[in-house]
Amino acid sequence: MTASASVSRPAVLVTRAIFPEVIERLSQYFEVDHNQPDEVLDGAALRARLAGKAGVLANAADRIDAELVAALPSLRAVCNMAVGYNNLDLPALTAAGIVATNTPDVLTETTADFGWALLMATARRVTESEHWLRAGHWQRWAYDMFLGMDLHGSTLGILGMGRIGQALARRAAGFGMTVLYHNRSRLPEQTEQALQARYVSKDELVGQSDHLLLVLPYSPESHHAIGAAELAKMKPSATLVNLARGGIVDDGALARALRERRLFAAGLDVFEGEPDVHPDLLTVPNVVLTPHIASASEKTRRAMADLAADNLIAALDAGPDAGRPPCVVNPEVLPRRR
Ligand code: GLV
């Protein structure tokens, strides 16, 4: 490649290790600075690596805030490999004319499958009993070993009825469950009928659910949507599953409720301040903990990485969709982007 060809290609950063094929594809269009050794890049390191870059393929843990945006006059596109984008200061990006994208749809069914796995493991004490068995405690069968809570015929509550919430509701039909939901906006009647889901207030949802699934986006408004007050309204026989984002549940209050058996059990895939986990959660037995893997199937993680790359290529005016990234979360920026 000639020196002039190389300067004409936009520079991009891929902040975390990713499938090598994605780096190869991006390299057809861009000068790619990648992080295949997966070094920790935050704060000053992220800022230094982003200097002079036109685009970034980011991870949900990369904080792109107003201060960083102000320091990066060449940045034109921020493409998250995640459906959630609470790591981005969207108003700051939009004000600066920077396109922001996410990876919806491709992960919906896989995430809902995992929600079901976590719910069943939680209600039927799968990991708790496995730990007990591995520790060599199993001498004899007993009629009351690890009694759990049934899913079939119970009431499932879903807080946040977007794509993933709806995919969870569809699965509930196979278990003969009554489905209640609460959402910022009520679904059209036809959709409610198709899902056999009934809209209720948040208070009713919290009080009536036998199993409560959280799949709402994180925002300042949803911070501690389930805190001590909500936990106190839940049935002591209920389970709670957080598939959405850390910070939606007050993890300290949850650990107390679990320890005091004011709640039967919880399943958590996301945590406040992850990868740190509230120390009290690590010592209560009635909680299933997984490391933010709801979308982690081989096929889906590849689809997310490919979609994030499609977004980046198009946002920087290259490839077949040049100028029309498939999943823009701030579309108002398109007519006046950098
Ligand atoms: C994962 O948490 C995502 O937002 O895709």
Side-chain angles (χ1 to χ4, degrees):
M1 182 180 307
T2 64
S4 61
S6 79
V7 286
S8 66
R9 285 152 54 97
V12 300
L13 174 69
V14 181
T15 63
R16 298 291 312 273
I18 199 167
F19 301 101
E21 299 79 10
V22 172
I23 304 281
E24 279 167 33
R25 188 150 75 91
L26 292 174
S27 301
Q28 292 169 21
Y29 303 99
F30 309 124
E31 294 303 318
V32 180
D33 179 8
H34 62 72
N35 182 17
Q36 291 303 73
D38 220 14
E39 283 156 7
V40 176
L41 283 188
D42 50 15
L46 183 61
R47 183 170 167 160
R49 290 282 282 270
L50 278 172
K53 301 292 188 320
V56 55
L57 197 156
N59 180 273
D62 297 320
R63 272 180 59 76
I64 314 271
D65 58 19
E67 200 187 323
L68 190 56
V69 168
L72 300 169
S74 56
L75 193 64
R76 292 166 49 211
V78 176
C79 300
N80 251 13
M81 182 178 143
V83 64
Y85 47 88
N86 56 297
N87 58 315
L88 309 180
D89 185 331
L90 206 55
L93 290 168
T94 304
I98 299 171
V99 177
T101 66
N102 68 342
T103 58
D105 300 320
V106 291
L107 49 64
T108 300
E109 300 300 330
T110 296
T111 303
D113 284 353
F114 187 81
W116 222 261
L118 195 50
L119 173 56
M120 296 199 75
T122 302
R124 296 300 306 273
R125 306 174 66 178
V126 172
T127 57
E128 185 188 355
S129 58
E130 187 193 349
H131 290 149
W132 180 86
L133 180 153
R134 284 180 189 266
H137 297 306
W138 193 17
Q139 306 300 331
R140 294 194 301 159
W141 179 91
Y143 77 97
D144 59 352
M145 277 165 70
F146 295 102
L147 301 182
M149 293 295 161
D150 281 325
L151 262 72
H152 70 271
S154 67
T155 296
L156 178 69
I158 302 178
L159 185 56
M161 200 52 145
R163 288 168 284 234
I164 298 169
Q166 294 180 35
L168 287 161
R170 284 196 296 277
R171 283 158 176 76
F175 285 77
M177 296 168 103
T178 299
V179 180
L180 306 178
Y181 79 97
H182 183 76
N183 196 42
R184 266 177 312 187
S185 45
R186 191 171 168 173
L187 297 177
E189 207 179 312
Q190 261 186 331
T191 314
E192 285 186 350
Q193 273 171 11
L195 295 171
Q196 291 289 298
R198 187 159 63 85
Y199 180 83
V200 292
S201 69
K202 183 180 160 197
D203 263 6
E204 285 174 289
L205 186 80
V206 165
Q208 291 179 21
S209 298
D210 294 315
H211 305 284
L212 180 57
L213 299 180
L214 308 179
V215 271
L216 66 168
Y218 180 80
S219 67
E221 294 73 49
S222 63
H223 181 73
H224 287 186
I226 302 294
E230 289 75 17
L231 290 165
K233 289 179 195 153
M234 290 184 72
K235 299 178 185 179
S237 55
T239 69
L240 175 72
V241 168
N242 187 5
L243 273 187
R245 274 290 179 275
I248 289 176
V249 175
D250 177 341
D251 286 349
L254 175 62
R256 282 192 295 283
L258 289 167
R259 190 181 304 284
E260 292 163 15
R261 303 283 165 173
R262 287 184 279 114
L263 189 69
F264 183 72
L268 305 174
D269 187 48
V270 287
F271 304 88
E272 287 191 280
E274 65 185 53
D276 295 336
V277 174
H278 194 294
D280 295 351
L281 286 172
L282 296 172
T283 57
V284 285
N286 46 343
V287 61
V288 180
L289 308 169
T290 53
H292 203 146
I293 55 169
S295 64
S297 75
E298 171 82 28
K299 186 173 157 205
T300 291
R301 281 285 162 86
R302 284 188 182 275
M304 291 167 69
D306 286 341
L307 184 53
D310 292 345
N311 280 320
L312 183 57
I313 293 165
L316 295 180
D317 296 314
D321 294 323
R324 289 176 288 109
C327 315
V328 182
V329 294
N330 57 349
E332 65 276 29
V333 93
L334 290 176
R336 52 175 186 79
R337 65 207 173 105
R338 273 182 181 168

